[in-house]
């Protein structure tokens, strides 16, 4: 572990990412699924674009010209590994939308010992990691035609996450985040309880489920899942893009437009939850917004309170939201950030207990290997005890880590 003289606390990152090794599903599913389960194929790229928030890759045939990359093949899906999946260690000007192989990425992206070494370099003690191939809340399996196989894939991923990625080699420094079968809330509840029994306290969910063709949080459809989270203390973790639709303004808007306004999905989602009545029905429920930053939160809370106070009668929420949304936020919602000086200057308007720190390793937005330096620069005006809570204390409490900031596994 880094022993730098800095007094900046060791970081607990609540939003990093894992690039799944090639054998995650091939090694865990019954033999009869070997030819249909997700698998890696090395093939050339025919064409690829990322415009208007839509990612469109086309895999070439063997022998075609074009750069070679490693592709996940699953049913009709052909999804390449790209430089945007793992950009750390590459000069910013060299980070482009291109296909890559495992050999072309930093080993810490997929290898546990290498990840721990990269965490040491970055003053990070522990990290919660979102998926890559399944996408941020398992949309890949939700869209699959064979639901029996998809459910097995969700469970296999969760087994790999708990037993391998966060297994003994991780030394308690990797914190599990599991998936659910989004198409079946009852099965989702069962999967939450199965994983909670082995110490998991976070589950991925979609920021805006209707974008995936699923019910909204304003319906009762999700109640079995939410009840399971409420009962087990499992945090509902929503990453930007977990609705498979990144914010944009037009079909031809360059990725830079969407990159500036990524927080918008979190903003819309948070208002949904605050006006849904779910926090009053499930009083122990907690939700967190990964990579959404926090500077936008104060105005949204102000506006939500005004609407609730003045317009709740005709606004359709009087019978289910009986307290000001800002109060519900304080008890149930966490914003996650890695680079938000404005938010930190307005911390009193957000709430010290409602913010979490992240490094976004290994994505192009990541502050690795200088997350400590970024944190020191942006939090230098804050008292040491406040910095401690933001950088690790809130995460320890929310994710039920040990007092030393480690995941302890099954009780």
């Amino acid at each position: 572990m880094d022993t730098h003289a800095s007094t900046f606390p060791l970081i607990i990152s609540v939003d990093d990412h894992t690039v799944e090794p090639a054998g995650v599903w091939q090694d865990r599913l019954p033999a009869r699924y070997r030819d249909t389960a997700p698998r890696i194929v090395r093939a050339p790229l025919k064409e690829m674009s990322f415009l208007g928030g839509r990612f469109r890759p086309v895999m070439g045939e063997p022998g075609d010209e074009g750069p070679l990359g490693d592709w996940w093949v699953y049913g009709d899906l052909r999804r390449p590994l790209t430089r945007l999946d793992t950009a750390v260690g590459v000069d910013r000007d060299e980070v482009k939308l291109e296909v890559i192989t495992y050999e072309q990425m930093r080993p810490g992206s997929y290898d546990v010992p290498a990840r721990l070494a990269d965490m040491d370099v970055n003053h990070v003690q522990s990290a919660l990691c979102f998926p890559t191939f399944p996408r941020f809340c398992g949309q890949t399996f939700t869209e699959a035609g064979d639901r029996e196989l998809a459910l097995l894939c969700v469970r296999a991923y969760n087994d790999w996450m708990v037993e391998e990625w966060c297994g003994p080699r991780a030394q308690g420094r990797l914190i599990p985040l599991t998936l659910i079968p989004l198409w079946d809330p009852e099965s989702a509840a069962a999967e939450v309880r199965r994983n909670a029994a082995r110490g998991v306290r976070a589950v991925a969910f979609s920021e805006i489920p209707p974008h995936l063709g699923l019910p909204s949080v304003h319906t009762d459809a999700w109640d079995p899942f939410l009840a399971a989270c409420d009962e087990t203390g499992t945090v509902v973790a929503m990453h930007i893009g977990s609705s498979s639709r990144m914010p944009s303004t037009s079909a031809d808007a360059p990725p830079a437009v969407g990159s500036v306004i990524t927080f918008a999905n979190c903003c819309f989602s948070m208002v949904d939850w605050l006006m849904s009545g779910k926090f009053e029905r499930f009083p122990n429920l907690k939700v967190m917004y990964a990579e959404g930053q926090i500077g936008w939160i104060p105005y949204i809370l102000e506006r939500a309170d005004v609407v609730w106070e003045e317009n709740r009668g005709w606004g359709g929420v009087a019978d289910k939201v009986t307290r000001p949304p800002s109060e519900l936020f304080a008890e149930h919602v966490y914003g996650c950030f890695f680079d938000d000086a404005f938010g930190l200057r307005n911390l009193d308007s957000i709430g010290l207990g409602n913010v979490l720190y992240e490094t976004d390793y290994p994505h192009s937005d990541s502050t690795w290997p200088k997350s400590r330096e970024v944190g020191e620069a942006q939090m230098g005006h804050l008292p040491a005890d406040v910095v401690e809570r933001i950088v690790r204390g809130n995460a320890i409490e929310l994710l039920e880590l040990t007092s030393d900031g480690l995941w302890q596994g099954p009780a």
Side-chain angles (χ1 to χ4, degrees), residues 168-288:
R169 292 190 304 164
Q171 305 167 34
R173 297 178 60 190
L174 294 173
I175 306 163
L177 172 72
T178 51
L179 303 176
I180 55 170
L182 288 162
W183 59 92
D184 184 349
E186 292 285 356
S187 294
E191 191 63 11
V192 166
R193 293 189 174 97
R194 182 176 83 95
N195 291 308
R198 46 186 182 173
V200 176
R201 291 295 179 267
V203 62
F205 190 65
S206 175
E207 60 204 353
I208 309 175
H211 286 348
L212 305 179
L214 299 170
S216 79
V217 296
H218 300 289
T219 72
D220 294 334
W222 296 108
D223 285 4
F225 163 66
L226 298 179
C229 293
D230 179 82
E231 293 164 14
T232 60
T234 300
V235 181
V236 178
M238 294 171 282
H239 196 286
I240 57 165
S242 55
S243 60
S244 295
R245 191 180 301 181
M246 294 298 287
S248 191
T249 55
S250 64
D252 58 352
V257 172
S259 186
V260 172
I261 59 175
T262 51
F263 74 91
N265 279 3
C266 300
C267 175
F268 297 163
S269 175
M270 191 179 82
V271 175
D272 253 352
W273 281 89
L274 292 175
M275 297 297 187
S276 70
K278 299 303 183 187
F279 293 139
E280 298 189 67
R281 291 191 58 192
F282 302 103
N284 298 314
L285 188 64
K286 310 284 188 183
V287 305
M288 58 171 268

Side-chain angles (χ1 to χ4, degrees), residues 63-242:
D64 285 353
E65 294 185 2
L68 284 177
D70 284 334
W71 296 69
W72 283 105
V73 175
Y74 172 49
D76 295 331
L77 179 64
R78 305 292 185 268
R79 199 282 192 192
L81 299 179
T82 76
R83 179 54 66 202
L84 299 188
D85 294 327
T86 171
V88 291
V90 178
D91 184 271
R92 296 288 186 180
D93 291 335
E94 298 301 318
V95 175
K96 302 172 183 176
L97 183 61
E98 60 182 353
V99 296
I100 60 172
T101 65
Y102 279 97
E103 290 80 7
Q104 292 172 300
M105 68 176 72
R106 194 170 182 87
S109 304
Y110 59 86
D111 178 75
V112 170
R115 172 61 65 94
L116 298 187
D118 278 354
M119 289 162 63
D120 287 345
V121 169
N122 201 30
H123 201 67
V124 173
Q125 179 188 31
S126 306
L128 179 91
C129 296
F130 283 82
T132 296
F133 169 69
R135 311 218 298 279
F136 293 145
C137 67
Q139 303 101 299
T140 295
F141 304 122
T142 303
E143 296 167 358
D146 186 338
R147 286 288 167 80
E148 180 182 0
L149 173 56
L151 179 57
L152 290 175
C153 285
V154 167
R155 290 175 175 166
Y157 177 87
N158 292 340
D159 290 344
W160 169 80
M161 168 61 62
V162 174
E163 299 166 7
E164 296 293 330
W165 185 251
C166 300
R169 292 190 304 164
Q171 305 167 34
R173 297 178 60 190
L174 294 173
I175 306 163
L177 172 72
T178 51
L179 303 176
I180 55 170
L182 288 162
W183 59 92
D184 184 349
E186 292 285 356
S187 294
E191 191 63 11
V192 166
R193 293 189 174 97
R194 182 176 83 95
N195 291 308
R198 46 186 182 173
V200 176
R201 291 295 179 267
V203 62
F205 190 65
S206 175
E207 60 204 353
I208 309 175
H211 286 348
L212 305 179
L214 299 170
S216 79
V217 296
H218 300 289
T219 72
D220 294 334
W222 296 108
D223 285 4
F225 163 66
L226 298 179
C229 293
D230 179 82
E231 293 164 14
T232 60
T234 300
V235 181
V236 178
M238 294 171 282
H239 196 286
I240 57 165
S242 55

Side-chain angles (χ1 to χ4, degrees), residues 298-361:
Y299 171 70
I300 296 302
L301 294 180
E302 177 182 291
R303 177 60 183 165
D305 278 358
V306 169
V307 169
W308 178 81
E309 185 68 40
E310 302 294 337
N311 302 330
R312 61 179 180 266
W314 65 264
V317 297
D319 60 338
K320 57 184 178 180
V321 182
T322 62
R323 298 166 57 199
S326 60
E327 289 186 11
L328 298 174
F329 171 88
E331 295 176 7
H332 299 275
V333 183
Y334 294 78
C336 311
F337 75 99
F338 56 81
D339 186 3
D340 193 337
F342 179 83
L344 288 167
R345 290 196 302 271
N346 294 274
L347 197 57
D348 288 346
S349 298
I350 301 169
L352 172 58
N354 298 87
V355 295
L356 304 166
Y357 201 45
E358 58 182 59
T359 77
D360 198 30
Y361 179 105

